[in-house]
Amino acid sequence: MARWEPNAPERLVAAALGLFEERGYEATTVIEIAERAGLTKSTFFRYFTDKREVLFGGETVAGLLAEGILAAPPEATPLEAVAHALVIVGAQGFRAEYRDFSSRRRTVIATNPELLEREALKGLGLTAALAGALEERGIPFLISCVAAELGALTLKVSYERWCVDTASIDFSDIAIRTLGELQAAAAYVVASMVISTGES
Amino acid sequence: MARWEPNAPERLVAAALGLFEERGYEATTVIEIAERAGLTKSTFFRYFTDKREVLFGGETVAGLLAEGILAAPPEATPLEAVAHALVIVGAQGFRAEYRDFSSRRRTVIATNPELLEREALKGLGLTAALAGALEERGIPFLISCVAAELGALTLKVSYERWCVDTASIDFSDIAIRTLGELQAAAAYVVASMVISTGES
């Protein structure tokens, strides 16, 4: 039986981020991460499938988004359900006390193509989680897809803003403001096109 | 100097697809693909970085999309520019004679997580290509992002439809019809939300 280690995932994440900042992502090994956290390599792999995954904390945000969509009031429109989910992410995921950590994490990810690739794939998982939960509410497929894309784009832009914004560290505030801006942008985009008949 | 081989990339792609269908993606090696194409392993790696890449034909579609956006008339709205790009992709990329090949390719990709992952990343590259070209037209950042997401979603849904549709094999027709449907879906999504002030 493995010994129970308190806060093992949190210690591993903190150790990994520190080492990536000091030595770079490439030059850091899983063994070094485990050692700095006072844990073993096998404990590392109990929580994370590989070195990249240590910065992507499982499926937490996708789960919060899906829960948030499904917990929105029955009369909520698709985008109101998305707004509800974003507020849940701010309250339970991207909390103010994690902002500095998130900002450091973002800087490390930006320096490494492998990490950027993993982040991109995680982003697609968030879109899929939103779309799936919206469809579960009985919203038609294409409408769910569009609302999910707007929600995922809002999350991405809001996360960037949250990491660098000096005026506010409240993720929910930033996300709702961003969703409003993207709603306005989307209204402009869809209003200003005359669909052609396909001849060109 | 390497000997010049006519149509080497096309022969490699056809050989790879046939082998993936017969034996599965995992069980096929690059050497076997090259042998069936009557070429060498080093010729394979001159055109493709790895086994997965053989089904993802370089950056052709991303390039066509960007060209199409930039070649749209100066007075075109963002979504009209996107429509222009989709028609270019239909005329120069997803031509009718490639439909059966694309349909087979899609079936192979759907069976393998590694191929699905590569396809997802390529999809993000298409969104980035659309957004970048729209910004080059002087369209503001958030509007470019939204129009690019709608364009990429249109491309994805249209490609699925093109591969399975029995009524039409004209990609441009399918894409323009799909863009119209997504425009309507987006109009519904953005019209039906009352943005809250962030309290929840």
Side-chain angles (χ1 to χ4, degrees):
Chain A
M1 281 291 286
R3 190 156 61 94
W4 180 75
E5 294 283 359
N7 306 320
E10 291 79 3
R11 285 157 58 189
L12 289 163
V13 172
L17 186 61
L19 284 163
F20 295 164
E21 287 173 329
E22 292 161 29
R23 305 179 193 179
Y25 169 79
E26 291 292 350
T28 301
T29 67
V30 166
I31 293 176
E32 289 167 335
I33 296 169
E35 270 174 10
R36 178 169 294 192
L39 298 165
T40 63
K41 191 175 144 187
S42 66
T43 302
F44 181 95
F45 285 114
R46 205 174 310 140
Y47 294 102
F48 305 106
T49 51
D50 56 34
K51 188 172 73 167
R52 285 199 281 186
E53 197 62 22
V54 72
L55 289 187
F56 294 96
E59 301 304 327
T60 321
V61 177
L64 289 174
L65 286 173
E67 278 170 38
I69 294 283
L70 295 170
E75 68 279 11
T77 65
L79 223 48
E80 281 170 349
V82 167
H84 193 264
L86 292 168
V87 170
I88 298 284
V89 168
Q92 294 178 35
F94 300 151
R95 295 208 300 272
E97 63 264 36
Y98 296 144
R99 209 280 296 260
D100 289 343
F101 171 83
S102 296
S103 191
R104 289 168 54 205
R105 171 185 171 278
R106 179 178 160 277
T107 304
V108 167
I109 289 173
T111 61
N112 184 278
E114 275 186 51
L115 293 173
L116 285 168
E117 186 174 300
R118 181 68 56 103
E119 184 171 56
L121 285 171
K122 291 279 172 180
L124 290 171
L126 302 181
T127 310
L130 284 167
L134 288 163
E135 277 200 273
E136 262 191 70
R137 290 180 67 94
I139 297 167
F141 176 68
L142 287 186
I143 291 173
S144 294
C145 286
V146 168
E149 295 286 356
L150 277 178
L153 186 56
T154 302
L155 196 78
K156 189 180 149 202
V157 174
S158 304
Y159 187 80
E160 291 289 308
R161 289 176 170 181
W162 183 56
C163 284
V164 300
D165 204 334
T166 49
S168 171
I169 58 165
D170 186 309
F171 181 83
S172 302
D173 278 355
I174 296 171
I176 293 297
R177 177 162 43 84
T178 304
L179 183 60
E181 289 175 37
L182 284 166
Q183 181 188 19
Y188 171 81
V189 166
V190 298
S192 60
M193 182 195 182
V194 182
I195 273 285
S196 85
T197 54
E199 287 91 41
S200 176
Chain B
M1 280 293 284
R3 191 156 60 95
W4 181 74
E5 294 284 359
N7 306 320
E10 291 80 3
R11 284 157 61 189
L12 288 163
V13 172
L17 187 60
L19 284 163
F20 295 165
E21 287 175 329
E22 291 161 30
R23 305 178 192 179
Y25 169 79
E26 290 292 351
T28 302
T29 67
V30 166
I31 293 176
E32 289 167 337
I33 296 168
E35 271 173 9
R36 178 168 294 193
L39 299 165
T40 63
K41 191 174 142 187
S42 67
T43 303
F44 181 96
F45 286 114
R46 206 174 307 139
Y47 293 102
F48 305 106
T49 51
D50 56 33
K51 188 172 72 167
R52 287 199 279 186
E53 199 61 22
V54 73
L55 289 187
F56 294 97
E59 301 304 327
T60 321
V61 177
L64 289 175
L65 285 172
E67 278 170 37
I69 294 284
L70 295 170
E75 69 277 13
T77 66
L79 225 47
E80 282 171 349
V82 167
H84 193 265
L86 292 168
V87 170
I88 299 284
V89 168
Q92 295 178 34
F94 300 151
R95 296 210 299 272
E97 63 265 36
Y98 295 145
R99 210 279 296 263
D100 289 343
F101 171 83
S102 296
S103 190
R104 289 167 55 204
R105 172 185 172 278
R106 179 178 160 275
T107 304
V108 166
I109 289 173
T111 62
N112 185 277
E114 272 186 53
L115 294 173
L116 285 168
E117 187 174 301
R118 181 68 58 102
E119 184 171 56
L121 286 170
K122 290 280 172 180
L124 291 170
L126 302 181
T127 311
L130 284 166
L134 287 163
E135 277 199 274
E136 261 189 72
R137 290 179 67 93
I139 298 167
F141 176 67
L142 288 186
I143 291 173
S144 294
C145 286
V146 168
E149 294 287 355
L150 278 178
L153 187 55
T154 302
L155 196 76
K156 191 181 148 201
V157 173
S158 304
Y159 187 79
E160 291 289 308
R161 290 176 169 180
W162 183 56
C163 285
V164 300
D165 204 335
T166 49
S168 171
I169 57 166
D170 186 308
F171 181 82
S172 301
D173 277 355
I174 296 172
I176 293 299
R177 177 161 44 85
T178 304
L179 182 60
E181 290 175 37
L182 284 166
Q183 181 188 20
Y188 171 81
V189 166
V190 298
S192 60
M193 182 194 182
V194 181
I195 273 285
S196 86
T197 53
E199 288 91 41
S200 176

